[in-house]
Amino acid sequence: MRVTQQQVLDALSRVASPRGAPLTNANVLSAISVTDGKVFFSINVDAAEARAWESVRAQAEAAVRAIPGVSTAMIALTAERKPGAPQAAPAAHRHAHGVQPASAHRPPQGAASPMSKQAEIPGVAAVIAVASGKGGVGKSTTALNLALGLRDLGLRVGLLDADIYGPSVPRLTGINEKPQLNDDRKMIPIKRFGLSIMSIGFLVEEDTAMIWRGPMVMSAITQMLRDVAWGTLDILVVDMPPGTGDAQLTLAQNVPLKGAVIISTPQDLSLIDARRGLAMFKKVNVPVLGIVENMSYFQCPECGTRSDIFGHGGARHEAERLGVPFLGEIPLHMSIRTTSDEGNPVVASEPDGPHAAVYRAIGTKVRDQLQGAIAAA
Ligand code: ADP
């Protein structure tokens, strides 16, 4: 059954805003996206009023979900602080899924970690971020293969593709089905390779994902973290959007991270970017579990000979200099690329090969640092 925008508007007109006017007359709705029964939009309000709007967001979501033919409704409450307005209480925007500009979140120097206040995700022992200072360094490829390496260690592992600007997990895993909803109306992550996987790319077309406005990034990701039935997981690996801008900083602050893994290539520029990544996590008191050097050296597919054409080892030195663990070197190898592009990552497709061993070794170093959190859960 085809759902129309008019049906969504009709449903929303029956939801009252905090001041009583119908939601459709409150001048707070973004454009409404309706594709294949999936409805997305945001309610944009002043941060000072965010708390009052949370129940409206929930009612709007329920009203849209009740429309016959709607399979998914994802409604974000974005709360933008007006210049000069006082800062809303942190609880208001946390509960409201709303976000303020990252600058408003920044803790004063030496303040207690905002992470300590983040609500854990029920059933998930440890959430970790895989981040990079810039795009194209192999962050997503590494996140997926690391998740598989952790799986091989006997852990229950999930993967959340939080790169909503350019989700690549659907391509890397070959998943093109849509998540179903359970009885609690939570999205059921897709099971593939023994991982529980969720990506905004399962829900929207790639170009739709690109148009999310800054503040919506966080609310979309919060919903993917909290409105997904993750079940019981030892580790949830979050593939972060590339870069170290405000969106990434806000994300690092708002997700209950137990640690971060930074991916870099040996080229100097990328190492500089990696340093920015380190600084970003330090700022929000998220422990850096270590640096991975990707495309570290070239391994000849025919003879297996190794050539250090990029002057590899920069990331190891950098890690030593900065006092963070060095997690390992992944070669630049054709089969890592081709297996990724075919949606059959190398750890799954060549489990006995040398690359899988590298990812498992990195996974072991990550697991060892999270042992406490996993055991506590
Ligand atoms: P990012 O997430 O940093 O943008 P991707 O994981 O999408 O990067 O990787 C970018 C490209 O590099 C992809 O085509 C991927 O297959 C390839 N790639 C990543 N790591 C390696 C590697 N170690 N060897 C060969 N190709 C790689």
Side-chain angles (χ1 to χ4, degrees), residues 15 43 53-65 75 77:
V15 174
I43 302 174
W53 279 90
E54 173 50 18
S55 68
V56 179
R57 188 202 71 82
Q59 287 169 46
E61 205 164 76
V64 173
R65 280 181 177 162
I75 298 170
L77 181 61

Side-chain angles (χ1 to χ4, degrees), residues 124 126 128 143 147 150 155-160 189 194-198 230 232-238:
V124 179
I128 62 167
L150 291 164
L155 299 171
R156 291 160 295 188
V157 184
L159 176 69
L160 171 62
L195 304 176
S196 299
I197 306 177
M198 186 64 202
W230 288 109
T232 307
L233 293 179
D234 296 307
I235 300 184
L236 176 60
V237 177
V238 179

